[in-house]
Amino acid sequence: MAVLGSLKTFQGGHYFGLFEGTPRGRRLSNAPLPKRVTIFLRQGFSAEVAPLVQVGDRVKTGQVIGVNEPNPQRPSTPVHATISGRVTVIEKQPHPLDGQPTLAVTIESDGKDEWQFLQRPAPNYERLSAEELGKILYDAGVTSGGQAGFPTAFATAYGLPERMRYLLINAIETEPYFEATDQLLYEEFDKFINGIKILRQALGNVQVHIGLGYNKPRIYEELITRLEYYDWCTVHQLLPKYPQGEDAVLTRTLIDLLVPKGGYVTDIQCVVQDVQHCVAAYEAVVEGKPFVERVISVAGSAVKEPKNLRVRIGTPIAELLDNNICSKAARIVLGSVLHGRDQQNLDLPALKDTPAVVALKEAEAELMPVAGPGFDRDSFTGAYVSLPWLKIKRANTSLNGNERACVRCGYCLDVCPQNLFPAMLGEYCANHLVSDALNIDLMACIECGLCAYVCPSKIPLLEQIREGKRHALEEVST
Ligand code: SF4
Ligand code: SF4
């Protein structure tokens, strides 16, 4: 195993402080079995699958409720029931990811949690071919951590004739509040290591690069001990700066390859998996368990008791936050406070790629960060002093307050991990000058949201850029 001595990082980015309401170091616990789940038949950006069940049907946990014929042109995986009970509704609902109407299956729990495991648990996975492993990953619904839910099987010999060259493991968490995946790394280290071996084998014995925050010396030592004799593996110690874990930033930092603008890591023969998805791969192959639950942080200043939970996919946000909100929350976000969408509808469910549910206090979300006082606030701009001895800081989501004219401070330029000029991109997109925005690399934006976070003029740069990209894609398709 190669261990790279010097710390690696990328240009731009931002170190976040430890925000109030972060469940750091809290052990994982099981969320109560939900009374009802809503499971979307489209996972991430993969294709929507056809329902296999009807209203009134009884289902078991792990039973397939939707599937398509495997098709590499429109990749998808089977979708599973995540509790046992009765199907009560099958209808189109706005998908939490993009608001698009998508078929969803609602199941009312019978409280029994009767399981249907996969047909082929395989404790001796070393004996299986890449294609056989790919088939199990497909059957279990294992997706990639990056690339918003791309089904892993379609990067293996099972779904893709073309060979991948690299497996990159994202074992660094740099987003505010995302603590559950870090906790999973500590508590399920064995599953994590074996999950990496399974995924490597499924991808045809590719080179593996693990990106780990340098602030995890215990995990680093364990990795070195466990992987010492494998020449296919390199461990990189990284500065824990946001957005180090984004696919395009990780490939550049770990293997010096650029993801094409608007493209995917698979375009450069890479697969990125995070800790959760390595564990899911292990549980699918060795335990025969479909991917029906994941770890989620319930966090934020409006949460009474921040927690790291094992949650059934499809659990409504309301059940996760039940009796655990201490004040009227102004913002509830499924996933990232930097680039996730605010949710008004608390019936929306946790998804396969939901690492956190964050609730922020009203006052916190409304304060204007530059004009407002506060030695305990996270500050990129240095416009107010941030006291170094305060370990826990107040979040500064920078999304409210009045939008003002751009003051050409250049903070957005400094912070952009893709070396773009967000101020100009935002201006072009807001004025519908999409071809001008494309000329300055609009499609290279990875939508990390940092430019909007640091902008002292509160210009909604991320929204403007997203809208511009949407128009650009519409123009291409017409
Ligand atoms: S322009 Fe895109 S990549 Fe750059 S900081 Fe803004 S959201 Fe992130
Ligand atoms: S951070 Fe905001 S005010 Fe500063 S240059 Fe960028 S868009 Fe303009």
Side-chain angles (χ1 to χ4, degrees):
M1 180 189 69
V3 178
L4 294 191
S6 58
L7 290 179
K8 296 180 99 180
T9 192
F10 61 96
Q11 184 189 334
H14 179 58
Y15 298 96
F16 284 100
L18 182 59
F19 289 149
E20 182 191 356
T22 303
R24 177 143 306 172
R26 302 267 170 97
R27 286 192 69 81
L28 290 166
S29 56
N30 292 330
L33 200 64
K35 297 181 198 73
R36 143 180 84 79
V37 290
T38 300
I39 302 162
F40 280 89
L41 296 184
R42 173 163 61 89
Q43 324 253 317
F45 288 102
S46 57
E48 183 173 313
V49 297
L52 270 189
V53 288
Q54 295 181 338
V55 171
D57 285 358
R58 297 200 65 80
V59 292
K60 290 185 175 174
T61 308
Q63 182 178 330
V64 175
I65 57 169
V67 71
N68 283 352
E69 274 296 307
N71 178 356
Q73 305 310 317
R74 295 187 72 238
S76 64
T77 63
V79 175
H80 305 83
T82 59
I83 53 173
S84 65
R86 190 179 293 278
V87 176
T88 53
V89 181
I90 303 175
E91 64 178 13
K92 285 205 182 264
Q93 298 187 27
H95 199 291
L97 195 63
D98 53 16
Q100 291 302 313
T102 306
L103 264 185
V105 175
T106 301
I107 302 168
E108 297 286 340
S109 172
D110 58 11
K112 296 181 185 159
D113 199 27
E114 288 176 326
W115 276 73
Q116 180 172 311
F117 287 90
L118 296 172
Q119 300 299 306
R120 303 178 50 190
N124 300 319
Y125 64 84
E126 295 88 351
R127 296 183 196 156
L128 298 181
S129 68
E131 195 163 3
E132 286 168 320
L133 285 172
K135 170 83 168 75
I136 299 174
L137 296 175
Y138 173 80
D139 288 343
V142 175
T143 50
S144 98
Q147 222 167 320
F150 181 79
T152 305
F154 287 94
T156 71
Y158 173 71
L160 197 75
E162 202 182 313
R163 258 194 68 173
M164 292 286 130
R165 289 172 60 205
Y166 300 104
L167 170 61
L168 306 189
I169 304 296
N170 171 11
I172 181 164
E173 200 50 270
T174 56
E175 285 247 12
Y177 304 112
F178 286 15
E179 291 293 321
T181 37
D182 265 359
Q183 200 53 38
L184 188 67
L185 183 60
Y186 285 110
E187 294 187 26
E188 301 287 11
F189 188 76
D190 260 5
K191 289 186 180 182
F192 169 65
I193 288 276
N194 281 295
I196 293 174
K197 291 181 184 171
I198 287 168
L199 288 164
R200 173 180 179 264
Q201 202 176 316
L203 291 168
N205 295 329
V206 293
Q207 285 295 311
V208 177
H209 292 261
I210 303 174
L212 180 75
Y214 85 97
N215 50 351
K216 293 194 174 51
R218 208 179 91 208
I219 295 290
Y220 178 67
E221 292 301 322
E222 280 280 324
L223 278 174
I224 293 195
T225 311
R226 297 283 296 275
L227 297 173
E228 192 178 355
Y229 300 109
Y230 299 115
D231 61 2
W232 45 260
C233 183
T234 306
V235 180
H236 305 254
Q237 284 192 291
L238 307 175
L239 290 176
K241 190 167 58 158
Y242 178 81
Q244 179 60 81
E246 290 289 328
D247 288 1
V249 182
L250 205 63
T251 53
R252 215 167 57 222
T253 317
L254 297 191
I255 52 173
D256 209 15
L257 285 182
L258 294 181
V259 175
K261 290 166 204 163
Y264 295 112
V265 283
T266 38
D267 298 337
I268 51 169
Q269 293 172 291
C270 270
V271 173
V272 179
Q273 296 286 127
D274 65 12
V275 176
Q276 172 65 78
H277 294 76
C278 291
V279 170
Y282 172 90
E283 290 179 343
V285 174
V286 177
E287 299 175 357
K289 187 177 161 190
F291 190 3
V292 297
E293 70 178 2
R294 65 154 299 137
V295 295
I296 292 182
S297 292
V298 177
S301 53
V303 171
K304 275 192 246 172
E305 195 192 341
K307 293 175 180 171
N308 294 318
L309 297 173
R310 283 193 185 82
V311 173
R312 294 294 168 89
I313 291 153
T315 303
I317 304 175
E319 282 201 36
L320 290 175
L321 293 173
D322 193 29
N323 296 324
N324 200 8
I325 297 273
C326 60
S327 60
K328 191 171 177 294
R331 287 186 72 203
I332 294 181
V333 187
L334 203 53
S336 167
V337 287
L338 271 299
H339 55 83
R341 288 168 204 271
D342 289 17
Q343 304 294 347
Q344 313 299 331
N345 175 8
L346 297 190
D347 280 339
L348 283 177
L351 306 173
K352 226 175 232 185
D353 47 11
T354 303
V357 173
V358 183
L360 296 176
K361 282 179 192 165
E362 196 163 2
E364 191 163 70
E366 280 184 356
L367 267 178
M368 295 180 3
V370 172
F375 294 134
D376 61 346
R377 313 206 59 185
D378 178 56
S379 173
F380 172 78
T381 63
Y384 45 83
V385 183
S386 182
L387 296 180
W389 57 87
L390 286 179
K391 288 208 172 117
I392 306 225
K393 306 212 169 176
R394 277 192 284 156
N396 168 4
T397 58
S398 194
L399 292 176
N400 291 291
N402 298 326
E403 182 182 334
R404 299 179 291 275
C406 172
V407 292
R408 302 287 178 219
C409 64
Y411 292 146
C412 57
L413 180 65
D414 294 344
V415 84
C416 178
Q418 293 291 80
N419 203 17
L420 305 173
F421 197 163
M424 203 162 274
L425 280 176
E427 204 169 308
Y428 284 152
C429 292
N431 290 299
H432 308 291
L433 301 168
V434 175
S435 53
D436 289 325
L438 286 170
N439 285 339
I440 56 165
D441 282 348
L442 171 66
M443 299 316 277
C445 169
I446 55 171
E447 302 182 22
C448 69
L450 265 184
C451 50
Y453 178 81
V454 300
C455 176
S457 291
K458 297 184 171 298
I459 298 170
L461 293 165
L462 177 61
E463 275 174 48
Q464 293 172 340
I465 290 171
R466 274 183 172 154
E467 196 57 15
K469 283 170 118 179
R470 203 173 56 75
H471 284 303
L473 291 172
E474 270 171 17
E475 277 177 23
V476 170
S477 62
T478 51

